[in-house]
Amino acid sequence: MEHAVQPEKAPTTETSARLQQVREQVAREPNLSKAVEYVRQQVVHAPNVDRNVAKQVDRALREVVQLQRQGRESEARMRLNEALVKVEQAARVSEAGRQLRDNRLQASQDLVEQIREVRTQVTKAPELSKALEQVQKQLVENVDVPTEVREKAAIAVKEAQWRKANGQEVLARRTLVQALEDMEHAVQPEKAPTTETSARLQQVREQ
């Protein structure tokens, strides 16, 4: 299978998908030497592969070559597959964690925008009663909003209603706007961690 060692264009997929592709190609290559060279080209020397992945695979390739020279080809092939599986699994864990962080970050950003929009409506609404209705509808009664935010919004609405009932409408609106601003800051997402696949891969030890 000469095509097995032919250079390919670098895929745009995640590291784990690339490693899976390489592992599957290696399994189809009957010539171990060609398989080793293919891995070296597609992983170790590939510029878009994480350097920690490249180093671990390169280390495994050295062991594979040594085993092959000792005539232990079956064991060498097993070692190669084991190394590829290990880095692939580590990459998948890292990618899943990164995706989860990205999802949480997006959810936090969406919530900030929602609270900010409500706060703007409260500020501009000519009638405080209409503003209170918006907070009640968009935050307090919205099941998609986190419970903690809904509870804080409910408290803010009750306080504003109490002040309004006591003739303190200006103060009621000001207090409500401040409460919404505080909630907005409280749910403001932190900067997304810059941890890449390498952080997880550093924890993977070669046997």
Side-chain angles (χ1 to χ4, degrees), residues 172-206:
R173 187 189 295 267
R174 188 184 308 155
T175 302
L176 181 58
V177 169
Q178 184 60 54
L180 290 168
E181 190 172 330
D182 291 343
M183 279 185 271
E184 186 182 321
H185 290 316
V187 300
Q188 189 79 35
E190 297 179 359
K191 289 184 178 181
T194 57
T195 304
E196 296 295 338
T197 306
S198 58
R200 170 64 60 178
L201 292 168
Q202 286 175 347
Q203 299 174 11
V204 180
R205 298 174 182 272
E206 294 295 337

Side-chain angles (χ1 to χ4, degrees), residues 22-56:
V22 170
R23 179 171 55 79
E24 291 173 349
Q25 188 65 41
V26 166
R28 292 192 292 267
E29 174 55 67
N31 187 311
L32 181 58
S33 295
K34 291 181 180 179
V36 168
E37 183 58 28
Y38 177 75
V39 174
R40 187 171 282 117
Q41 289 179 2
Q42 296 299 314
V43 181
V44 179
H45 295 158
N48 62 336
V49 169
D50 184 275
R51 288 302 87 194
N52 283 285
V53 173
K55 288 178 182 177
Q56 290 187 53

